Amino acid sequence: LIALPTSKQDHFLRAGNAHLVAQSMWPDQQTAYAAFLVVACEALKPSGKRYDKLNLYDVVAGLLNSSEAEGLRKHTAHPQQVRSKHLHRGELVAGELVPILINDYFADPSFREMLQELSRVCRTCLIEWLRCGGAYKLDRSAKSKLGLLTGWWLSARGRIK
């Protein structure tokens, strides 16, 4: 970390801080844990407006490979959606309130599988970002490009603003 320029150190520390926040939420707040792991990965995006719309899957594909990104995307609980729904609407996926309400903890095994994979991928992305000094090729995944093109087409037709 010391060998990096100050701007890159700050960049990595922001991602590391999000990862630390995620770790502090385990195991009681599993939805927040997942959301902050996604935030930690997204914090590894290069600076600049042109990268603002890139998401977790784009970062994972750029730092690791597209099959890792698709592996995350295949889960029933999509990490990007968990992050968005939790941070924007406060939705809980892991049933954190169930023990409080009925004293019978329900654990969704698909969510647990996604958490395990997301945790591993996030740690690997942080390490890979350090290894390459924050210089990596970031290319929108095919599914992200499709969403961007669809959004452009609809906005060009006046359907979204």
Side-chain angles (χ1 to χ4, degrees):
L1 186 62
I2 302 292
L4 293 172
T6 304
S7 65
K8 292 285 187 183
Q9 288 178 21
D10 291 344
H11 191 149
F12 182 77
L13 289 174
R14 287 191 303 271
N17 183 59
H19 190 264
L20 188 61
V21 169
Q23 297 302 315
S24 74
M25 304 215 174
W26 181 262
D28 297 328
Q29 297 294 320
Q30 293 180 32
T31 303
Y33 171 73
F36 275 94
L37 287 177
V38 173
V39 169
C41 287
E42 288 183 335
L44 297 171
K45 293 188 291 191
S47 301
K49 280 186 135 332
R50 70 185 199 165
Y51 300 109
D52 285 352
K53 297 214 184 257
L54 299 181
N55 63 28
L56 164 73
Y57 309 114
D58 301 310
V59 173
V60 171
L63 282 169
L64 306 180
N65 58 57
S66 59
S67 65
E68 289 281 4
E70 289 306 313
L72 286 174
R73 201 187 293 269
K74 75 174 171 56
H75 290 282
T76 305
H78 301 284
Q80 192 69 41
Q81 287 179 339
V82 170
R83 169 217 164 283
S84 296
K85 288 179 178 181
H86 183 66
L87 296 180
H88 296 293
R89 301 219 181 251
E91 290 185 24
L92 300 173
V93 179
E96 290 94 335
L97 298 180
V98 172
I100 296 168
L101 299 174
I102 60 175
N103 293 326
D104 184 23
Y105 185 73
F106 169 77
D108 180 357
S110 63
F111 185 73
R112 176 73 78 167
E113 291 168 8
M114 183 275 290
L115 283 180
Q116 289 173 341
E117 188 172 349
L118 179 60
S119 179
R120 178 189 57 78
V121 166
C122 183
R123 285 190 314 271
T124 307
C125 282
L126 289 165
I127 292 166
E128 182 60 23
W129 191 95
L130 272 177
R131 190 193 66 71
C132 69
Y136 65 99
K137 185 178 182 211
L138 193 53
D139 187 25
R140 273 190 159 301
S141 65
K143 291 186 182 192
S144 295
K145 286 178 186 173
L146 180 61
L148 185 64
L149 291 174
T150 304
W152 171 83
W153 185 82
L154 290 173
S155 67
R157 303 256 181 297
R159 296 185 183 165
I160 62 172
K161 300 201 188 269

